[in-house]
């Protein structure tokens, strides 16, 4: 039985680091686990310009110890008024690694999101031409669509036509949650990929109502039925280069989670690798973990693989009730693998 697993240093291809005091509180959790991370731009106001991305990157680096080598990869928040020239300039200078598309009102701080993706044609043409990835929160926001169906309906109504109309555009369907999403990505061409969170591998929707209402299991897209969890698991451990690690770690203050109309988001950064590796072990797929965590993402983005390694060891680790004053994913549970010092 393998008791130690050494892999190339991994990256997180989807994280919310927030800003101000929350940034200070959480950023070291991500930097401890990952070499790089794709940082979501849904601040208030959102990051839509090169200057804003550069300033945000500087605040992230300032919140970290000077001796670390964590690299934040910045993203541009697409709005109805997105400027293709600014986006191309940002990509060329390295200020923007990718663009993020939120349908308006899909999740936290997405009120500035895109109301009609067809109006973004010039931006998408530019991104396609320069090889800049489009990262998509793939849910329709229509109130007449059941919340558990919003990802599948988005794929049918929006993503499938988008892939057809922009065949050379690199697209990452973020935080997939359904069998429909896993199948769509697997069947699409090599320029369509997906990130997968720990919570969508561990939880089905029963977890939201387990003995009472569970705000710390609430995220968007919301966790789904068991058959969807199993399909997403199968995709993660398949070894396909189209699926890679993206935690979607999304910290909120405890009182903003545990309230009437609590916020969506799970703070999974502190034990992210421990959480993922548990799934790969349960699926008998530890040999596929390095690809998922450390290789598929950079290859899709066209970035170099990291140098150096991290080691996980088979030793129990108790996840505390609080990390940085917040409730982490798996709080109070014991996980079977831990990051070796
Ligand atoms: Zn997110």
């Amino acid at each position: 039985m393998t008791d130690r697993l050494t892999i190339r240093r991994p990256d997180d291809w989807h994280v919310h680091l927030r800003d101000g005091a929350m940034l200070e509180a959480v950023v070291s959790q991500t930097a401890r686990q990952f070499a790089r991370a794709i940082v979501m731009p849904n601040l208030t106001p959102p990051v839509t310009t090169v200057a804003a991305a550069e300033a945000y990157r500087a605040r992230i680096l300032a919140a970290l110890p000077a001796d670390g080598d964590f690299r934040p990869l910045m993203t541009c928040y697409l709005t109805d008024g997105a400027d293709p020239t600014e986006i191309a300039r940002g990509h060329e200078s390295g200020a923007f690694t990718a663009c993020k598309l939120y349908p308006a009102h899909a999740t936290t701080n997405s009120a500035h999101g895109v109301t009609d993706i067809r109006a973004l044609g010039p931006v998408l043409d530019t991104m396609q031409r320069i090889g800049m990835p489009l990262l998509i929160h793939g849910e329709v926001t229509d109130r007449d669509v059941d919340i558990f169906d919003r990802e599948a309906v988005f794929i049918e109504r929006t993503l499938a036509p988008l892939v057809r109309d922009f065949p050379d555009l690199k697209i990452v369907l973020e935080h997939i949650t359904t069998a429909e999403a896993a199948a769509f990505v697997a069947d699409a061409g090599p320029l369509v990929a997906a990130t997968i969170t720990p919570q969508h591998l561990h939880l089905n929707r029963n977890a939201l109502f387990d003995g009472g209402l569970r705000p710390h299991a609430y995220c968007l897209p919301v966790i789904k039925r068991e058959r969807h969890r199993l399909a997403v698991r199968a995709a993660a451990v398949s070894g396909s280069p189209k699926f890679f690690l993206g935690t979607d770690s999304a910290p909120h203050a405890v009182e903003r989670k545990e309230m009437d109309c609590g916020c969506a988001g799970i703070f999974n950064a502190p034990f992210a690798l421990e959480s993922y590796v548990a799934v790969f072990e349960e699926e008998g797929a530890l040999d596929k973990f390095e690809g998922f965590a450390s290789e598929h993402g950079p290859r899709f983005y066209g970035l170099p693989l990291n140098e150096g390694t991290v080691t996980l060891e088979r030793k129990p680790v108790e996840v505390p009730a609080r990390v940085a004053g917040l409730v982490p994913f798996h709080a109070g549970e014991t996980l079977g693998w831990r990051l070796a010092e």
Side-chain angles (χ1 to χ4, degrees), residues 86-254:
E86 176 80 355
I87 288 168
R89 183 171 78 88
H91 190 247
E92 193 174 356
S93 74
F96 293 141
T97 299
C99 288
K100 179 67 189 276
L101 173 71
Y102 291 99
H105 308 293
T107 187
T108 306
N109 296 343
S110 62
H112 300 273
V114 171
T115 52
D116 181 5
I117 193 168
R118 284 166 299 187
L120 280 181
V123 169
L124 301 178
D125 277 333
T126 297
M127 292 174 65
Q128 178 167 250
R129 181 168 49 77
I130 64 181
M132 184 177 190
L134 175 68
L135 318 182
I136 301 181
H137 183 113
E139 289 190 290
V140 295
T141 52
D142 315 43
R143 298 184 74 92
D144 58 339
V145 177
D146 188 284
I147 191 166
F148 292 98
D149 297 333
R150 286 180 186 176
E151 183 176 273
V153 172
F154 180 88
I155 290 168
E156 189 184 307
R157 283 191 195 166
T158 305
L159 185 58
L162 184 73
V163 170
R164 188 189 61 224
D165 294 346
F166 296 91
D168 297 322
L169 182 61
K170 279 189 190 181
I171 295 173
V172 183
L173 185 57
E174 300 285 7
H175 42 56
I176 61 167
T177 64
T178 57
E180 288 87 345
F184 181 87
V185 171
D187 294 344
L191 298 182
V192 178
T195 54
I196 298 178
T197 78
Q199 58 265 24
H200 293 108
L201 295 170
H202 279 277
L203 304 180
N204 67 34
R205 66 190 194 177
N206 288 345
L208 283 165
F209 311 107
D210 188 7
L213 194 57
R214 298 289 191 167
H216 299 288
Y218 175 51
C219 60
L220 288 173
V222 71
I223 50 181
K224 304 293 195 300
R225 284 181 179 276
E226 178 66 359
R227 77 176 177 88
H228 294 298
R229 185 183 76 99
L230 295 177
V232 172
R233 273 197 168 219
V237 305
S238 66
S240 163
K242 297 168 142 271
F243 299 101
F244 44 85
L245 187 159
T247 63
D248 196 16
S249 186
H252 290 282
V254 176

Side-chain angles (χ1 to χ4, degrees), residues 17-27 43 56 59-60 62-63:
L17 295 180
R18 311 303 192 200
D19 212 345
M22 184 64 90
L23 168 65
E24 304 263 344
V26 302
V27 65
L43 305 181
Y56 186 27
R59 295 198 296 281
I60 293 167

